[in-house]
Amino acid sequence: MPFWNSILLSLVALLLVTGCSDTDREAASTRFMVMGTLVDIAIWGEDKETAEKGFHLVEQTMHEINATWHAWRPSLLTRINQSLANDRSISVTSQQLSLIRRAKDLSVITNGYFDPATGALSLLWGFQQDDLPTGPPPDEKAIKAILSSYASIRDLDIHGNTISTLNKNIRLDFGAFAKGYAVDLAMEKLKQVGIRNAIINAGGDLRAIGTHGHRPWRIGVRDPRNPGKGNLNGGGILAAIETRQDESVFTSGDYERYYIYQGKRYHHILDPRTGYPSRDFTSVTVIYDNATDADALATALMVAGKAHWRTVANAMHAQSVMLIDHDNHVILTPTMQKRVRFLKQVSKPEIIAP
Amino acid sequence: MNLGLLTTADKILSGFIMAGLILAYVLLWGSESSASAEYAEIEVNGKHVRTLSLDRPGRYAIHGRLGESLIEVKDHQARFVASPCQGKQCIHMGWQHRTGAFAACLPNRVTLTIAGGTRQWDSINF
């Protein structure tokens, strides 16, 4: 082989290796606060103008959902709750009804482990306010009084666009659901303007479409107990997940909204059966095909605990689930085992099929 | 290709080229964080208010909705050390040092985002 042919071949090969590096094109990103959390958006492969338009659409959509479904500031939801408490029916739009109907369906599917009609419990625990409560936890008698009313979204009657109930104790709170719904709605808006590669992350409620150029989107899953402790293997990141085309990665945990009283942690994910915060898991991560259902699923799995999480996962056809308990013991479904890469030393994960 | 036609010099040159290509591939595609973070961007209520170099240790007061949040920079990391919120979750989030990592005091509307290097994560699920 002549010398110059070798040189030419090497130059061509070098071009192939370097030519399309993703580092040439960074994703446009922004961040804003809404729904009591930080919303993080990344868009890849679009010009600045389109990306800015996308950011605006997402922000606008999420503010609208927040204003409509806010649980304690004057909103459609507070009007609904007031009407139901006063034995009156109330009419809503078809789009608003779609959220209520899906929440009711999911409560039935999860056998009540997800039930957004327990707003009275959240109020009693002090989680229906901008600032976190400081304790002490509510009186046991008050909790039992609420539980004895058996308030459930399944008691909601829907006729046409009108909702009513015979159970006046229903107090809807879509805190564990509206963010997922908002993420789905916002993502559809991005698709409508032609954006094909994006991430919307509302405080751990994340949906990703497309890719970051030639590679998948890379998601870091935060360590529930050491969120910021630096080490060479990834800082406060416990594990990595790469998304495929259109997926939602949702994490619910006892570290999101909580307070410590006399050394004990009380968090915001309340078990509708006991009236107390769920106990078994510090964090649950799921990969699912849409954000709305993923939000309810992650909450239901937290509440269902070790005894019943498989029932919930089966009912929701959830294949990719990761659960972490208070001893940092990790449970993975076989599908999740193939998707997750741990960056920190964890005890050998237990692999359990749903 | 008939390898018998290659001279010894061709084979040595081809070996160098292959090694160079493998090295180039690893450097360009294999490393996840080749450049380290350089600064912390501080925002209040979504508006950028300050850029803190991670090379300049110190404590910096940032005025938010409720009062002053105190941010510390040390050993090329940054963290909240005080804030007027009730839950102190911003403080519990601890040191941040990787590009794209962040901590926030939502009640005080103050966020800290590490920037300036190569992002290892496109988004963080928390």
Side-chain angles (χ1 to χ4, degrees), chain B residues 54-120:
Chain B
L54 296 180
D55 290 329
R56 297 182 63 183
R59 289 190 168 200
Y60 304 88
I62 307 294
H63 196 77
R65 185 177 70 107
L66 301 177
E68 278 193 348
S69 291
L70 200 57
I71 290 171
E72 181 178 25
V73 174
K74 189 179 168 187
D75 298 333
H76 221 74
Q77 304 176 95
R79 66 170 178 175
F80 280 86
V81 287
S83 218
C85 55
Q86 287 181 16
K88 308 297 179 197
Q89 287 175 350
C90 49
I91 298 167
H92 294 150
M93 290 176 91
W95 290 107
Q96 308 297 327
H97 70 286
R98 289 189 177 271
T99 302
F102 65 91
C105 177
L106 292 179
N108 205 26
R109 304 281 193 271
V110 178
T111 64
L112 172 168
T113 307
I114 305 296
T118 306
R119 280 183 79 123
Q120 190 171 1

Side-chain angles (χ1 to χ4, degrees), chain A residues 262-273:
Chain A
Q262 295 185 341
K264 194 171 176 187
R265 179 186 294 248
Y266 298 94
H267 64 89
H268 73 298
I269 302 173
L270 302 173
D271 186 336
R273 300 164 301 173

Side-chain angles (χ1 to χ4, degrees), chain A residues 126-307:
Chain A
F127 287 115
Q128 282 195 353
Q129 58 182 0
D130 290 340
D131 292 322
L132 287 170
T134 52
D139 183 64
E140 196 176 339
K141 283 180 187 167
I143 292 173
K144 281 185 176 167
I146 290 175
L147 293 182
S148 67
S149 69
Y150 297 106
S152 169
I153 195 170
R154 286 167 286 177
D155 297 333
L156 216 55
D157 296 316
I158 302 172
H159 297 290
N161 279 14
T162 302
I163 55 174
S164 60
T165 183
L166 294 175
N167 189 337
K168 294 199 306 183
N169 298 300
I170 285 181
R171 186 186 171 96
L172 298 170
D173 180 342
F174 292 117
F177 185 62
K179 272 193 286 181
Y181 179 79
V183 167
D184 273 344
L185 218 56
M187 193 59 93
E188 290 313 311
K189 296 268 176 77
L190 291 187
K191 286 181 178 178
Q192 281 166 16
V193 295
I195 292 171
R196 292 284 169 267
N197 305 288
I199 291 179
I200 302 175
N201 182 4
D205 296 358
L206 179 152
R207 182 170 164 189
I209 58 169
T211 59
H212 183 290
H214 296 282
R215 64 164 174 80
W217 291 109
R218 293 173 183 152
I219 313 301
V221 180
R222 188 162 280 192
D223 187 336
R225 283 294 178 265
N226 298 293
K229 299 276 167 55
N231 67 40
L232 293 175
N233 293 324
I237 305 300
L238 175 72
I241 292 171
E242 292 185 344
T243 59
R244 295 172 182 169
Q245 289 309 312
D246 185 349
E247 285 186 325
S248 295
V249 182
F250 271 55
T251 297
S252 276
D254 69 357
Y255 52 88
E256 295 169 299
R257 276 173 67 80
Y258 70 93
Y259 65 91
I260 305 278
Y261 182 76
Q262 295 185 341
K264 194 171 176 187
R265 179 186 294 248
Y266 298 94
H267 64 89
H268 73 298
I269 302 173
L270 302 173
D271 186 336
R273 300 164 301 173
T274 65
Y276 282 84
S278 66
R279 292 169 54 171
D280 287 357
F281 301 124
T282 54
S283 139
V284 169
T285 299
V286 299
I287 306 175
Y288 208 64
D289 59 10
N290 72 84
T292 309
D293 292 2
D295 209 351
L297 170 64
T299 302
L301 290 168
M302 277 288 287
V303 171
K306 289 182 179 176

